[in-house]
Amino acid sequence: MARKRKRPGTKSSKPPAYLPLDIILEILLLSPAKAVGRFRCLSKSFYSFLTDPQFIHRHTLQASEKGEDHRLVSTFLPHLHTINLETAGHVPRKSILAKEVVQSFLPCCDCRFLGSCNGLLCYYRCPDKFLVSNPLTREYRQVWVHGFGSGKNPSIFFGFGFDHSSKDYKILRGWLSKRGWETQVFSMKNNCWKFVGIQESSALPKTTVVNLPVVSLHGVIHWDANKESHFKSIASFDLVKEELRDIMLPPSDHDQKLVIPSCISALRGRLCMSRQCLQTQDRTDVWIMEEYGVPESWTKQLSIELRWNVRDHWAPICHTKNDRIIFQNNSRRGLKVYNPKDKKFTNRRFPKLLPHEYPYFWMATYVETLVSIKN
């Protein structure tokens, strides 16, 4: 007997299918931050759930562990544009900050990009102002310096990172006095500055400003502090213990006086350093610290032929989804994409990301998150 065809418009006897809440949670945790942000508009319950700090924290950890969907951002105000390194079009996004906010940071000659952490970007304007922003949510927060040292001090360092023990984002500021390195920490959770004390570090230079941007990893801020050959360690600041410490560099195949540690970065959650030899100037070695905090775990990941000169350094900044490594140059308007399988480079340029009046520039990468600066 043939089944009767259901007339259009009649109600089904089967109840609608619902996904369990735990499955919905897992799907959302694996979704891009931009998509999750749009889901907040579905209902009041979705908004309440997706703005919960615990969910945002879990989603941020998931995004950091995946280490994918990196965005590239120019480190010069007022040209704050971002692009997705994974897309084919490479079209710059609109400015990540409102015009009035950027105007408050002008003139730009005294502005410095401190670094990124969990999707947040931090800038400093000499001598007394910081700016923290989330490019995805377009939230921002301005922080002022009060007392403790002079912003005009030539021997000064900065930093921005996340204290995982207190779940607090912190801004670090330090300067050299007659007593030693004095440090000051701003807690974004408590909205106040705290004078930490006087500390020592053999890796910090005593004549120039520390190189920026910094690398924030495992609750520790790292600096490519000094280019002089006799320095054998990386300067760092532990945000949990709030203390300076030095991390030993990997051993060198050449005379230490001929080796230049050009740049430090983070590749897939591990501390990375690239170095060149003044003798050849045709090779770049990339080292990875396999076990964080253990100097003996430094491993040479790559040794590639890449021409450079004393003022022209190449450094890795991130991995892509297809296992390519992005290298950038501090004095050219482009990037090189390295394929470890065939050991070849391809060039990628972004002429619209930065105007021509900036002959030297430095880019930074970050992963989009929903971290709220207001809370």
Side-chain angles (χ1 to χ4, degrees):
M1 184 176 177
R3 290 183 179 180
K4 292 183 179 180
R5 298 184 66 180
K6 191 180 296 185
R7 294 179 181 178
T10 57
K11 295 183 179 179
S12 172
S13 58
K14 293 183 179 180
Y18 290 99
L19 286 175
L21 185 61
D22 55 345
I23 295 180
I24 296 176
L25 174 63
E26 292 302 319
I27 293 174
L28 291 173
L29 287 174
L30 294 173
S31 302
K34 190 175 181 180
V36 175
R38 290 172 175 170
F39 294 153
R40 292 175 175 180
C41 303
L42 292 177
S43 65
K44 290 183 179 179
S45 58
F46 257 79
Y47 180 84
S48 176
F49 175 67
L50 298 179
T51 54
D52 181 72
Q54 291 186 354
F55 171 80
I56 292 176
H57 181 66
R58 289 187 61 185
H59 187 273
T60 301
L61 290 177
Q62 187 75 30
S64 300
E65 289 174 2
K66 287 169 62 180
E68 298 176 350
D69 297 321
H70 284 93
R71 297 198 69 88
L72 192 71
V73 60
S74 59
T75 61
F76 282 93
L77 287 165
H79 308 285
L80 293 180
H81 303 284
T82 70
I83 52 176
N84 192 331
L85 285 173
E86 307 289 348
T87 58
H90 316 309
V91 179
R93 191 188 264 183
K94 292 182 179 180
S95 180
I96 61 177
L97 284 174
K99 186 177 180 180
E100 58 270 19
V101 181
V102 175
Q103 290 295 325
S104 70
F105 256 63
L106 298 177
C108 303
C109 56
D110 290 331
C111 293
R112 300 168 189 164
F113 177 72
L114 301 191
S116 64
C117 180
N118 293 343
L120 301 183
L121 308 180
C122 185
Y123 288 81
Y124 168 70
R125 190 191 71 178
C126 183
D128 57 4
K129 195 175 184 181
F130 292 88
L131 174 69
V132 180
S133 91
N134 185 326
L136 178 63
T137 64
R138 297 180 71 85
E139 291 181 355
Y140 68 91
R141 185 170 169 183
Q142 300 187 57
V143 177
W144 294 84
V145 177
H146 299 289
F148 301 122
S150 170
K152 297 296 184 181
N153 191 324
S155 298
I156 195 166
F157 62 87
F158 309 93
F160 174 71
F162 181 66
D163 179 353
H164 53 78
S165 65
S166 61
K167 295 183 179 179
D168 187 11
Y169 289 90
K170 295 181 178 180
I171 299 173
L172 171 69
R173 179 172 173 267
W175 63 94
L176 185 64
S177 69
K178 294 181 180 179
R179 298 180 296 175
W181 284 106
E182 302 191 34
T183 51
Q184 181 185 15
V185 173
F186 179 82
S187 166
M188 296 192 69
K189 177 184 287 186
N190 301 322
N191 194 34
C192 65
W193 286 97
K194 180 178 73 172
F195 181 68
V196 176
I198 301 170
Q199 305 182 39
E200 293 295 330
S201 173
S202 60
L204 285 171
K206 297 184 178 182
T207 56
T208 58
V209 176
V210 173
N211 296 316
L212 298 173
V214 300
V215 175
S216 181
L217 193 66
H218 304 302
V220 181
I221 299 170
H222 308 81
W223 295 275
D224 178 19
N226 204 297
K227 301 291 185 181
E228 298 180 29
S229 59
H230 63 275
F231 281 80
K232 300 180 180 180
S233 57
I234 296 171
S236 68
F237 185 86
D238 191 323
L239 290 171
V240 178
K241 299 179 180 179
E242 295 187 341
E243 62 181 19
L244 284 169
R245 66 186 188 188
D246 300 339
I247 299 176
M248 296 300 296
L249 294 174
S252 174
D253 300 332
H254 305 277
D255 185 350
Q256 192 68 31
K257 295 180 180 179
L258 299 175
V259 174
I260 297 180
S262 70
C263 183
I264 60 171
S265 58
L267 291 181
R268 289 183 174 170
R270 296 176 295 175
L271 189 62
C272 171
M273 189 206 73
S274 60
R275 60 163 38 144
Q276 290 95 8
C277 177
L278 285 170
Q279 213 167 22
T280 58
Q281 296 190 8
D282 62 354
R283 194 184 77 183
T284 297
D285 295 332
V286 178
W287 292 77
I288 297 289
M289 182 176 272
E290 298 289 350
E291 186 178 349
Y292 183 76
V294 181
E296 294 77 17
S297 68
W298 280 111
T299 305
K300 188 187 291 187
Q301 194 84 355
L302 294 170
S303 185
I304 55 181
E305 294 183 1
L306 192 60
R307 291 293 301 176
W308 61 279
N309 58 57
V310 177
R311 296 183 180 180
D312 185 25
H313 300 292
W314 287 98
I317 54 173
C318 72
H319 269 95
T320 63
K321 288 182 179 179
N322 54 5
D323 206 30
R324 306 291 197 271
I325 303 176
I326 306 292
F327 280 77
Q328 76 161 327
N329 186 284
N330 65 321
S331 64
R332 300 183 186 179
R333 295 175 173 277
L335 304 175
K336 284 185 179 290
V337 182
Y338 180 73
N339 187 345
K341 294 182 179 180
D342 58 15
K343 298 181 179 181
K344 291 182 179 179
F345 282 95
T346 54
N347 295 319
R348 287 171 72 175
R349 289 186 169 274
F350 306 99
K352 295 182 181 179
L353 200 58
L354 201 66
H356 292 287
E357 57 262 31
Y358 294 95
Y360 298 95
F361 77 105
W362 197 252
M363 311 298 292
T365 60
Y366 70 97
V367 177
E368 290 183 325
T369 68
L370 297 168
V371 174
S372 176
I373 300 173
K374 295 180 180 179
N375 301 325

